[in-house]
Amino acid sequence: MAVLMRVATALAACFSLSGAAKAEPLGLPPIPIPADNPQSADKISLGNRLFHDLRFSSDGTVACATCHADDKAFTDGPLRTSEGIGKKTGTRNAPTVINSAYFTSFFWDGRSASLEDQSQHPFVNPVEMGLPTHEPILNIVRSDDFYVDLFKRAFGKTGDAITMEEVKKAIASYERTLVSGDSPFDRWRFRKEENAISADAKRGFDLFVGQGRCVSCHVIEETQALFTDNRFHNIGVGINRAQFDVPRLAAEFLTAKAKGADVDKTVLSDPKTSELGRFAVTDQFDVIGAFKTPTLRNVAVTPPYMHDGSLKTLKDVVKHYNNGGRSDGDPAQVNDYLSGGIRPLGLTEQQMDDLVAFMGTLTTPAYFGAKTK
């Protein structure tokens, strides 16, 4: 029933009864829709079904929705890193799918350039869904009566004419309906409702755009706020402890990559290689340990935090930045690859609490009750 309710909500968010696209929630810009994958109600319904189908894993226990659960704001908290088939754990924390329609790259290291491309990789990753190829998926969707009907309505295709291209487009179309604005912050900032957020949250906002410099990466614009710059930064998480191994790790990875190593599989199976971040995709040394800026929308209900899930609370996150990109247990030496804007902030305990209060206002009411444990 929860899934069906989510489908209805998603469809209502994007389409009126006449089929025309509706306005985006307060605080968000128009949703970018690829010219070769226009939205339709049938395609979204199909994508929702594919997103939640456990049969697309080698042991029938994992779906896209396993790591991006509807009732957890499309994450899998409180897990630090996601669990795949056979309870295998990877190296990365599952980011929310909400508002992924606005991202310009996907995965923490940006190794996919579109939602369509991203959707195909977890199926065949050995620590995620574990299929040897995509053929088992195609066998199901070409023969299951429900899928046969939906693919015919969504794409006008049946049988062998159905390929992974249609599967990818349907999943991406569904994910583009998962948009979330209309938070207390949005009502205060864009609708000028002064009582929408508390006094401590207002102080936190001033810190967010001022002394804390959070807005440098978690962008707020005049009429909208995505809370991400869609760029990659080394903020000291994970890489601090691996910094002395970086020269060796980078050299070994480049050698393996030249011999055909699969980046998608390697970064999820080897923790130290995972810490190379964006470097694993670009081979550029200036992005060693750099990871994508996540959106902060609904951040209060999506713990734990960072690419490796190593920070349990928002207060821990703020402390990390306040310490100039260092957490408890990190070496005293600043890693050589730290992004230039990361330096001590000099915030007091009260100011850090105010920042946390502000981030709490970024939750859309539909997710106020999201499970975090």
Side-chain angles (χ1 to χ4, degrees):
M1 180 62 69
V3 169
L4 293 177
M5 288 294 291
R6 183 67 67 187
V7 177
T9 301
L11 290 174
C14 288
F15 292 92
S16 66
L17 293 177
S18 65
K22 295 180 69 176
E24 287 72 21
L26 181 68
L28 296 177
I31 300 170
I33 306 295
D36 65 347
N37 191 21
Q39 297 285 76
S40 75
D42 287 330
K43 198 183 297 183
I44 293 166
S45 181
L46 169 59
N48 176 78
R49 178 67 174 241
L50 294 165
F51 189 88
H52 291 87
D53 200 323
L54 293 168
R55 293 176 295 172
F56 300 155
S57 59
S58 62
D59 63 1
T61 64
V62 180
C64 303
T66 302
C67 299
H68 304 286
D70 302 44
D71 61 351
K72 295 184 177 182
F74 291 86
T75 67
D76 61 1
L79 294 178
R80 278 189 58 170
T81 58
S82 296
E83 291 183 350
I85 56 168
K87 298 296 183 181
K88 293 179 181 178
T89 56
T91 60
R92 304 275 170 87
N93 176 262
T96 183
V97 179
I98 298 171
N99 290 345
S100 58
Y102 299 104
F103 300 161
T104 57
S105 64
F106 301 86
F107 296 115
W108 279 101
D109 51 23
R111 61 187 183 274
S112 279
S114 69
L115 277 173
E116 284 80 2
D117 180 74
Q118 183 279 330
S119 68
Q120 68 180 314
H121 296 294
F123 295 126
V124 293
N125 193 296
V127 299
E128 293 184 280
M129 299 167 83
L131 293 178
T133 69
H134 291 117
E135 281 302 309
I137 298 172
L138 296 178
N139 291 338
I140 291 172
V141 300
R142 290 168 178 170
S143 59
D144 181 287
D145 288 342
F146 184 88
Y147 280 127
V148 168
D149 179 59
L150 270 181
F151 272 96
K152 186 174 183 179
R153 285 193 283 148
F155 294 100
K157 294 185 177 183
T158 59
D160 290 347
I162 300 171
T163 69
M164 279 302 294
E165 287 304 305
E166 288 74 41
V167 172
K168 293 187 295 182
K169 286 181 176 180
I171 293 173
S173 292
Y174 167 65
E175 290 176 331
R176 288 191 177 97
T177 69
L178 304 176
V179 293
S180 174
D182 286 323
S183 67
F185 162 78
D186 294 303
R187 297 198 305 274
W188 173 72
R189 174 73 171 177
F190 302 120
R191 200 175 281 159
K192 309 303 180 186
E193 296 180 13
E194 277 303 311
N195 295 326
I197 66 175
S198 65
D200 54 348
K202 291 176 184 177
R203 293 194 304 269
F205 172 78
D206 289 338
L207 291 164
F208 190 90
V209 300
Q211 185 178 345
R213 304 192 313 278
C214 314
V215 74
S216 299
C217 300
H218 298 285
V219 179
I220 299 173
E221 299 181 64
E222 197 63 33
T223 60
Q224 63 196 43
L226 294 181
F227 289 98
T228 178
D229 59 1
N230 275 306
R231 298 175 65 187
F232 302 86
H233 306 278
N234 179 325
I235 61 170
V237 171
I239 194 66
N240 283 354
R241 301 184 190 191
Q243 61 181 293
F244 307 112
D245 292 328
V246 164
R248 176 183 60 82
L249 290 171
E252 290 176 353
F253 178 77
L254 289 176
T255 300
K257 191 175 179 181
K259 293 179 179 179
D262 187 307
V263 174
D264 187 72
K265 295 176 181 178
T266 303
V267 298
L268 285 188
S269 59
D270 181 63
K272 285 195 173 181
T273 300
S274 174
E275 302 303 351
L276 294 175
R278 182 68 171 163
F279 170 82
V281 178
T282 67
D283 301 343
Q284 300 296 311
F285 285 89
D286 62 342
V287 287
I288 283 179
F291 291 89
K292 189 174 69 171
T293 305
T295 178
L296 294 185
R297 286 191 175 274
N298 302 303
V299 69
V301 295
T302 55
Y305 304 104
M306 304 302 180
H307 70 276
D308 58 359
S310 60
L311 300 182
K312 293 183 179 181
T313 69
L314 284 176
K315 185 67 173 287
D316 292 335
V317 172
V318 175
K319 286 181 178 179
H320 176 86
Y321 284 109
N322 197 43
N323 291 335
R326 292 183 64 256
S327 292
D328 292 342
D330 283 350
Q333 179 176 323
V334 176
N335 82 74
D336 293 336
Y337 313 95
L338 198 66
S339 292
I342 306 300
R343 56 184 185 273
L345 300 175
L347 300 175
T348 66
E349 285 291 326
Q350 181 61 59
Q351 287 177 314
M352 288 192 285
D353 289 339
D354 288 344
L355 265 176
V356 171
F358 167 69
M359 287 186 280
T361 71
L362 306 182
T363 307
T364 296
Y367 297 105
F368 280 170
K371 295 179 181 179
T372 59
K373 297 181 179 180

